[in-house]
Each structure stands twice: as C-alpha cells, then as structure tokens.
Amino acid sequence: CVAELHVTYKSGKTRVVMATGDESGWQVAKGHLRESSLFSGEYIDLKSKSEFEGWDTTSGYFDATQGVAHSADVLLTGDHSWIKPKLYESDTDLPTWRYSLEMRANARRKNIKGPLLAKHKLSPIGKLIPHEIPPIMPLRRHVPDEVYGMGNGRWMYDFGVGFSGMVRFEEGLPNPIVPEVYPRGHTVSTLNPDEEFITVVYGESIEPLTGDINIAVVAGMGLHDGGPRHKAKPVGNAEAKGGPCYPKDHIEAGSLLQRDVYILPRSSSVVQSDSRRGSFADARQSHFTTHAFRFVEICCTAEPPSGVVGLSYRTAFDEWGAFGSSNVRVNGGYELVKNALNSNLLSVQSDCPHREKIQYGGDIVADSPAALHFYDMSAFYRKVVRDWRDQQWSNGAYAGTSHWLALNDYAGIGTGSGETVWASAPIVTTARHYQWYGDKMLLEESFEDHLKWFTFL
C-alpha cells in the first residue's frame, strides 16, 4: 500500500496531513482476506470480517482493533492489533531496474557495460501519477435464469449470459455440509481441520458429458505453455507441485480455478450468540477479484443459497454509441461485440477476462474502432498510449504487451520488440484518438517516442 493523505481547503491551498515515513502515524492491521489473486480468486475469513466491523468508525475503533501494537508478529496471528507499517525498501533504483529488464528482453546488447543488476526482485518505487480514467464500477445486476441441484450439496446457477464481474449473496450463505467426496474443483486442503468452508467456482461453459463447469480454460490457461509451439509441460513440473503461480489447492482439479472460498471456524457457524464470531450469513461477495462466467457452482450446502445475483463490472466511462436494424442476427452480433468489450475493459483493454487478463496490442488494434463507437474512450486510450511509452525500451522498441511480459517476443523482429502489428498499438491508438477527439496534446507528448519506434523498425 502506498498512502499519503492530502487535504485541500476551499481556498485551494493543499496541506499534507499524513505523509509517508517512519513518523507519519500510519498504521496497518491484518484484514479478512487471506488470499486475493487477480486470476484465481479470494479466500475470505468470515470470522475476521466480523471481528473487524467498525474499525473505520470512532465508536467501534478500539473494539475492533484491540488497541495498538508495535510488533509485526501480530500479522502472523489472528490478532487485529494495529502496528506501524514497514517502509518498502529496494536495493536498486529505476535506471538499474530498467537496465535489468532490457537485458532480460534482449533489448540491450550484453557487451554494453551497464550498472550492477539488482540482487533481488523488489522493484523500486516509481513516480506516482493521478489515476485519470474512471473507476471500475458495477454496471448491471443479473438474476439467474436457472438454479438446479447437482447432488451432494452442489448447486449450479446459470445467469444466461457471460460477463466479467462478481457474484453477490444478498442474503448470505447457509451453513455448509460435508459431502462424502468433494466434487472436482471444490476440494480445499490448506485450511485448519477445525475450519468449515463453502466454495464458489466460476466458468463460461459446462462439460457436455458430466454437466460440471469446464474449469480447464478459466484462469491463466491452467497449463503454462512451452513457448512458440505451445506444448504443455509434462506432469511433474513446478505447476503440478504447486508454487507462487499455481496454488496447492488447485492441483487436485488439474487446472487453475476461478474460485472464491468462504471460511469460518466450525464452532462459529454453530454458536450465533456472539456477533463477533462471524457467520456464513455474513458472506456477500469477493472484494478485488473479478471473474468471467456464465455458470457458477456453489458447494456444499443442504439448500441452494437464495438472493444470489451477478454483478457485471467495467470501467465506468460514458456510453454513447447505439445501433439498431430490422435484422435480429445483425443486432445480436452488435450486442455480442458490446458484451465482449464490456468484459474486457477493466482499467486495461484485456484480451480475455479470465485466462490471461493481459493488455495485448493486437486486440487494441483490431477492436479500438468498436470501443470508440460505443464509449467515451478519450482518457482510457490516453492511458493505453502512456502505458506503452512507459514500457518502451531505450532502443526504441515497443513490446507486444503493456507492460512487457516476455510473451510472443519470438514473433517479433528481435531485440525486445513484440510482433510488429501488436507492438504498433500505441501509434495506431494515438492516430485514432486524434481522429475521434482532435486531441493534439497526446500527439505532441508521444511523437518523439513513436518516432523512435519507426527508427527502430
């Protein structure tokens, strides 16, 4: 977390009330999210959530936080004491960090002497700039078209349309039951023995033979490809054993999952007299992870949870494009494109809202005319161009993704460049931005960087 509190008065004068530093007065405490992954989902501790209620109010602060501690050890326990934050430290600076990335991307010749590389992977703090695009907001509520049981306490919810967002439990969740055997994707093996849980698995399609959610294509591709030929790595590699990018709880399913897990100590779900014990009825939704789905499996409860709705999220820019015709198929195609864009415009224009969530240049080159028709993309595409300019190597090359992720570089012309059409996304976007909005400022600020790309080519 990077935090600094500014107060702006009516006169226009701004005062920094709480700056960053050792004596700033900032405090941190352990919250109720045990895990939060961009791809797979969240582990939500409902007991901690209940214990922390009121932390942001003057009346409930001390009840929720139990005072202020001074040791970071409390973060390793269930204690919610507040402690002083530890300042972020790195053994490198921005020029050195950039140099090390260019060496990895082969964007700089290895015989050119440069600074010593960083000893570890903690990147330096960059320059903080205002967030100029609109926030990500829930834009539509979806009611399930169908709810049916799958046996052993597992329930399927079909929302009738695919979208990017979250499931919200307006009435919470019922208490869980323990089946004889957990279905594929619903096994959780990393919790304490005295903890109960309910799993929520998301997917776009169902297996035609089993009726289960097709989980093989929902998050991070499941299998990490082996390079240009896209050969799956053999079983026994790091992915099969668990690791930072492949949680152990997902090994049993054989694929990365889009899944949220709601957790509560077994005694808490039975004893309800103390509101701070927490309850499955307190469950509502994930906090930071959006999923791409039409279908949702919930396991395992004796009765299907009621009050379940889907919330589709998108960057909240204004919508202004419209189209209609007498042909229902043409109209359906128009809505299909619009729904796909809605699901892939969450702060970046991604290629897909579940498997990769990456800002590829090829998708922007192909789809930006449609996005410009549908929405006010003026601030959004300014950010896209600035993302690529921030990534640009010193030799002038643009990558195929922003930021550089060492993906598909083999399809480019080498020395750090991505596939040429994809890597031309910032230039194409700048031109289209000017055609739509007449914004000369973006042209002026990006011209020199774009010229470096042409010179590189």
Side-chain angles (χ1 to χ4, degrees):
C1 178
V2 180
E4 194 169 74
L5 182 61
H6 293 239
V7 174
T8 302
Y9 299 96
K10 290 183 178 180
S11 63
K13 182 180 178 181
T14 299
R15 177 188 172 193
V16 180
V17 179
M18 296 181 69
T20 301
D22 288 327
E23 304 303 324
S24 62
W26 288 103
Q27 300 168 9
V28 296
K30 183 177 181 179
H32 65 278
L33 293 182
R34 296 189 185 179
E35 297 181 19
S36 183
S37 166
L38 175 67
F39 290 105
S40 54
E42 297 183 350
Y43 282 42
I44 301 166
D45 186 331
L46 295 172
K47 182 174 184 293
S48 293
K49 180 177 181 293
S50 177
E51 290 173 342
F52 225 64
E53 290 293 336
W55 73 270
D56 55 349
T57 65
T58 55
S59 59
Y61 173 78
F62 283 101
D63 288 339
T65 61
Q66 304 154 24
V68 178
H70 298 282
S71 172
D73 293 340
V74 299
L75 295 183
L76 303 177
T77 69
D79 191 358
H80 295 296
S81 298
W82 292 85
I83 66 168
K84 291 183 178 181
K86 181 176 176 57
L87 289 178
Y88 183 93
E89 295 179 347
S90 175
D91 65 352
T92 187
D93 53 23
L94 279 174
T96 306
W97 181 254
R98 290 283 302 182
Y99 173 77
S100 64
L101 289 178
E102 292 197 354
M103 293 291 287
R104 288 176 56 198
N106 295 316
R108 185 185 291 263
R109 294 180 181 178
K110 294 183 179 180
N111 61 352
I112 297 178
K113 186 176 181 180
L116 294 175
L117 300 182
K119 295 179 180 179
H120 54 64
K121 297 181 179 181
L122 290 177
S123 61
I125 297 176
K127 179 182 178 182
L128 293 177
I129 60 174
H131 190 71
E132 66 172 327
I133 67 173
I136 297 173
M137 299 286 288
L139 299 178
R140 181 181 172 186
R141 293 168 62 90
H142 304 264
V143 178
D145 284 353
E146 186 178 9
V147 180
Y148 55 90
M150 304 178 70
N152 292 321
R154 183 168 49 143
W155 306 95
M156 178 72 80
Y157 290 73
D158 179 1
F159 288 91
V161 62
F163 58 93
S164 180
M166 304 177 183
V167 163
R168 180 169 177 83
F169 304 103
E170 297 282 15
E171 300 174 20
L173 290 167
N175 287 333
I177 62 174
V178 180
E180 293 184 6
V181 179
Y182 278 98
R184 182 187 179 205
H186 294 278
T187 300
V188 183
S189 58
T190 56
L191 303 182
N192 295 327
D194 65 339
E195 290 181 322
E196 295 180 299
F197 62 90
I198 294 176
T199 49
V200 184
V201 175
Y202 306 79
E204 282 193 316
S205 62
I206 58 176
E207 296 281 0
L209 297 180
T210 65
D212 298 339
I213 279 182
N214 182 354
I215 63 176
V217 295
V218 297
M221 293 188 285
L223 292 175
H224 297 251
D225 67 65
R229 296 182 182 274
H230 299 285
K231 292 183 178 180
K233 296 179 180 179
V235 175
N237 281 25
E239 290 85 354
K241 300 175 182 177
C245 296
Y246 209 110
K248 292 181 179 179
D249 271 349
H250 295 231
I251 297 174
E252 176 272 335
S255 176
L256 286 173
L257 303 169
Q258 288 189 119
R259 183 177 72 176
D260 295 324
V261 182
Y262 293 87
I263 307 162
L264 192 68
R266 198 173 303 275
S267 60
S268 296
S269 63
V270 177
V271 181
Q272 302 294 335
S273 58
D274 184 356
S275 62
R276 289 211 176 285
R277 288 180 178 271
S279 167
F280 281 101
D282 297 332
R284 289 298 179 265
Q285 66 182 73
S286 56
H287 291 69
F288 301 108
T289 305
T290 55
H291 304 286
F293 63 96
R294 169 183 166 178
F295 300 94
V296 173
E297 286 182 13
I298 301 175
C299 186
C300 296
T301 61
E303 299 293 334
S306 57
V308 179
V309 297
L311 301 176
S312 56
Y313 281 71
R314 193 201 71 205
T315 301
F317 27 62
D318 292 335
E319 182 177 329
W320 56 23
F323 172 84
S325 75
S326 59
N327 189 307
V328 65
R329 292 186 177 180
V330 173
N331 294 342
Y334 180 85
E335 292 301 321
L336 180 69
V337 172
K338 182 178 178 181
N339 189 54
L341 281 171
N342 279 340
S343 298
N344 283 284
L345 291 170
L346 286 80
S347 289
V348 299
Q349 185 168 341
S350 57
D351 65 316
C352 52
H354 40 29
R355 294 188 308 116
E356 297 178 271
K357 299 186 176 184
I358 296 171
Q359 187 163 255
Y360 281 105
D363 299 87
I364 294 174
V365 170
D367 299 337
S368 54
L372 288 162
H373 160 76
F374 284 118
Y375 315 111
D376 177 5
M377 303 291 287
S378 54
F380 190 95
Y381 278 151
R382 274 198 305 270
K383 176 186 178 296
V384 166
V385 174
R386 288 168 180 168
D387 285 345
W388 251 279
R389 291 173 54 223
D390 188 45
Q391 169 277 315
Q392 187 178 32
W393 306 123
S394 59
N395 63 6
Y398 282 127
T401 60
S402 177
H403 288 328
W404 176 74
L405 295 169
L407 292 172
N408 300 320
D409 284 4
Y410 64 88
I413 60 177
T415 59
S417 66
E419 194 281 329
T420 304
V421 174
W422 293 23
S424 296
I427 297 176
V428 173
T429 305
T430 301
R432 289 175 177 170
H433 189 275
Y434 177 72
Q435 291 168 353
W436 275 82
Y437 305 112
D439 183 3
K440 292 183 179 179
M441 291 181 62
L442 184 61
L443 277 174
E444 292 171 350
E445 73 174 59
S446 60
F447 178 80
E448 292 297 331
D449 291 331
H450 294 343
L451 186 60
K452 293 177 183 176
W453 167 242
F454 283 117
T455 303
F456 168 83
L457 292 177

